[in-house]
Amino acid sequence: ALALCNRPAPKDEMEAQVSLHHWTAVALLRGRAGVADGVDEVIADPEIAALRLRVHPVADAAIPIDGCDMTVTLADGVKHDVRVRDCIGSRANPMSDRDLEAKLAALADGVLAKERVDRLVAGIWGIDDVADASVLARLAS
């Protein structure tokens, strides 16, 4: 991850997409990190930019590819350790159907109306009953 994502000061949306620093800062400050957090306005947010510079990723071959160990040190010196061995979406911890639906809805937010997203989700789950998959393409466009 460090070879590709060691970008403490991304200058645009393309760099932010692959910045461990950016997504860590966003998640810590906002409690979540999604597609909407990869835009120029968020990248330029002074609070996020300042925290990105305080994120110091370290490679550790002992941590599995789907894992992460993180220590967050607060201003008062209190440390919080987090250890994840099978991230959501990994083979050992696949996303639930509800997780997948929520992810699609988040990705489509601002692009498709909610009703259209709901129809698209229903169409995806009913793909076995569709004679022509272009139905899904029309729902997604």
Side-chain angles (χ1 to χ4, degrees):
L2 285 178
L4 300 174
C5 303
N6 191 18
R7 299 172 189 270
K11 62 181 179 286
D12 56 32
E13 292 180 14
M14 292 295 288
E15 284 193 7
Q17 291 300 313
V18 291
S19 169
L20 281 168
H21 305 76
H22 180 72
W23 295 110
T24 301
V26 168
L28 288 170
L29 287 171
R30 297 184 170 186
R32 50 118 184 101
V35 173
D37 299 303
V39 298
D40 288 333
E41 177 183 330
V42 178
I43 296 162
D45 180 300
E47 192 174 22
I48 290 172
L51 186 54
R52 276 195 311 255
L53 297 176
R54 298 176 73 192
V55 173
H56 305 290
V58 177
D60 184 343
I63 298 173
I65 194 165
D66 291 334
C68 174
D69 289 350
M70 177 185 279
T71 299
V72 177
T73 306
L74 304 180
D76 63 4
V78 173
K79 293 185 179 195
H80 297 274
D81 295 313
V82 176
R83 180 183 171 124
V84 174
R85 281 300 168 261
D86 298 304
C87 65
I88 296 172
S90 66
R91 182 178 297 233
N93 186 15
M95 295 176 79
S96 69
D97 290 352
R98 180 67 193 116
D99 290 338
L100 290 168
E101 291 172 3
K103 183 172 183 174
L104 175 60
L107 291 169
D109 188 40
V111 178
L112 298 175
K114 182 184 180 325
E115 300 78 30
R116 194 161 204 164
V117 172
D118 292 343
R119 288 196 315 266
L120 178 59
V121 168
I124 291 168
W125 292 128
I127 191 70
D128 290 339
D129 302 323
V130 176
D132 182 357
S134 68
V135 170
L136 294 180
R138 285 191 295 279
L139 287 171
S141 63

